[in-house]
Amino acid sequence: MRQLHAENIAKFVEPFQVKPGSHVVLGRDFDPAYKAGITNKKEGVELLRQGIELLADYQERLAAQDTYGVLVVLQALDAAGKDGTIRHVMSGVNPQGVRVHSFKVPSAEELDHDFLWRYAQRLPARGEIGIFNRSHYEEVLVVRVHPENLDRQKLPKEAKGKGVWQRRYREINDWERYLVDNGFRIVKLFLNLSKEEQRIRFLRRCDLPDHNWKFSASDARERERWDKYQLAFSEMLSNTSTEWAPWWVIPADRKWFLRIGAAAVIAQTLIEINPRYPKVSDEQRRQLLEVKAELEAEAPKGAAPDPFQEKLMKSSADGGESARSDEEYE
Ligand code: AMP
Ligand code: MG
């Protein structure tokens, strides 16, 4: 059975990457039903478990190191599985270290600012993973497919003429480069759904009473603009997959595979950052030993001076692991 671990994950995610500078035609270049040859459900379940475990481990180190931040950008057509991906992929991660934000139709206040303003307000801090459920890329997707959105943005005449999309690509690339240069890595995931699978998922929303709330007649109408969206996504991928912040196209027709793919790409980014627990300085160590001696001296009559140390010694057979992971001390 295949394994996902720090040594082989780069190879697993490689087919998803949009090579910087390449010209993408979605329908030709990426298969929404790809599943990396995984045929056995048990293998899929196990790979997702391993991906989630890697994420949890590295996220803890990211938070402890407090030097780098990670921004995960999720873009997709309706019903591709953005919400489910967040729910499953982040299920093992400490909620204190993750911040999710969903971007909707911009407010009047947001429209009164430059187009990147509202996204800049929601960036993760160092040590955090920030997730954008929709993102600044809507500014070259829905705004492009529905140009009336651009009219609402109150831009001066010279800023909305011909060339506006090329200019936005450049501005987004520059903004992302600035973030990366300052310690914020960006993981951009496009969840790639086929038209037929979207049809089936919309029908599911109609047919299952507890999914009716997800159904939106306007989503179904957006489907009529499928080709326009495919083109806008292809252009976005071609123009904004950069060396510093590449796009990853994750096959989305099988939800279980989508989750493995997304977990693997995010984990791979954390592995590259390789965050480490901070080392204590000689001075901190000296203080630590001083306090330890004081605490040991406080032991009540008959009690071991350091009961935890005793446990550690007893579990030396497994390198102290059983003592370290003992719930009592977590
Ligand atoms: P949902 O994600 O289903 O809650 O829907 C959010 C809606 O907000 C979608 O219809 C998006 O197209 C829309 N939206 C998100 N960002 C923008 C934007 N920058 N300009 C216009 N509409 C947007
Ligand atoms: Mg929606």
Side-chain angles (χ1 to χ4, degrees):
M1 201 183 275
R2 229 177 307 193
Q3 304 273 322
L4 269 192
H5 46 72
E7 289 73 40
N8 70 355
I9 206 161
K11 195 149 183 261
F12 181 78
V13 301
E14 214 259 340
F16 309 143
Q17 198 190 79
V18 177
K19 303 288 167 285
S22 62
H23 177 72
V24 177
V25 178
L26 260 182
R28 178 195 67 191
D29 300 337
F30 292 95
D31 176 11
Y34 174 81
K35 53 175 181 165
I38 304 169
T39 47
N40 163 331
K41 184 167 174 208
K42 240 171 99 186
E43 186 179 6
V45 170
E46 177 56 18
L47 285 174
L48 181 60
R49 195 195 60 72
Q50 291 167 1
I52 290 171
E53 199 176 293
L54 275 173
L55 275 177
D57 173 31
Y58 276 87
Q59 187 263 341
E60 212 174 293
R61 298 203 231 161
L62 185 83
Q65 190 185 37
D66 205 17
T67 302
Y68 295 93
V70 174
L71 172 65
V72 178
V73 165
L74 289 176
Q75 284 296 156
L77 280 170
D78 288 308
K82 295 196 298 293
D83 298 317
T85 299
I86 297 171
R87 197 169 62 243
H88 283 85
V89 169
M90 290 297 155
S91 60
V93 164
N94 179 351
Q96 289 207 71
V98 186
R99 215 189 274 230
V100 185
H101 190 75
S102 303
F103 290 97
K104 311 284 180 187
V105 177
S107 69
E109 189 193 15
E110 289 167 347
L111 289 172
D112 240 356
H113 290 267
D114 62 278
F115 82 94
L116 290 175
W117 181 79
R118 68 168 180 161
Y119 309 98
Q121 314 275 307
R122 304 289 180 170
L123 288 171
R126 297 190 195 283
E128 282 183 347
I129 299 180
I131 301 179
F132 281 2
N133 184 348
R134 302 185 189 271
S135 68
H136 48 296
Y137 283 99
E138 290 295 338
E139 304 292 337
V140 294
L141 293 167
V142 69
V143 179
R144 186 169 190 179
V145 174
H146 294 273
E148 63 275 18
N149 285 309
L150 195 64
D151 296 335
R152 262 184 236 124
Q153 293 191 350
K154 301 166 75 174
L155 291 160
K157 199 162 97 256
E158 63 274 19
K160 62 181 169 191
K162 225 171 123 247
V164 59
W165 309 118
Q166 283 302 325
R167 211 190 60 232
R168 284 198 169 185
Y169 295 142
R170 176 174 53 78
E171 288 161 348
I172 288 172
N173 289 341
D174 288 347
W175 185 59
E176 290 181 351
R177 178 160 207 160
Y178 159 80
L179 293 172
V180 173
D181 281 349
N182 284 280
F184 295 91
R185 296 290 304 270
I186 308 174
V187 186
K188 303 189 295 199
L189 304 178
F190 170 64
L191 318 188
N192 189 25
L193 185 71
S194 71
K195 194 171 184 186
E196 174 56 7
E197 184 60 26
Q198 189 194 51
R199 187 178 77 90
I200 298 168
R201 291 194 193 166
F202 279 173
L203 283 169
R204 191 166 175 271
R205 289 179 181 182
C206 298
D207 295 341
L208 292 175
D210 59 344
H211 284 66
N212 285 170
W213 66 274
K214 276 193 167 184
F215 171 79
S216 136
S218 68
D219 287 355
R221 274 199 303 277
E222 280 305 88
R223 188 173 154 78
E224 291 167 15
R225 299 187 178 81
W226 180 272
D227 292 341
K228 282 196 170 152
Y229 272 107
Q230 292 299 107
L231 191 63
F233 279 121
S234 297
E235 293 264 293
M236 171 197 83
L237 295 168
S238 305
N239 286 282
T240 61
S241 198
T242 54
E243 297 289 348
W244 54 93
W247 272 103
W248 305 85
V249 177
I250 314 292
D253 272 8
R254 295 182 173 87
K255 286 186 181 171
W256 62 266
F257 187 79
L258 163 65
R259 289 164 193 162
I260 297 170
V265 174
I266 303 168
Q268 157 68 9
T269 303
L270 286 164
I271 289 165
E272 273 175 23
I273 295 175
N274 195 16
R276 293 170 192 267
Y277 290 108
K279 272 217 168 78
V280 294
S281 64
D282 289 348
E283 174 54 20
Q284 281 170 318
R285 170 152 304 278
R286 198 189 55 72
Q287 288 175 2
L288 184 153
L289 290 174
E290 218 175 273
V291 172
K292 180 173 154 72
E294 282 167 22
L295 289 170
E296 285 175 352
E298 276 178 34
K301 232 184 154 108
D306 183 346
F308 186 74
Q309 179 95 53
E310 286 203 346
K311 263 197 166 174
L312 261 181
M313 303 290 229
K314 276 199 202 117
S315 69
S316 61
D318 65 0
E321 203 39 56
S322 55
R324 196 169 292 132
S325 61
D326 188 331
E327 290 290 320
E328 266 184 75
Y329 295 98
E330 280 285 305

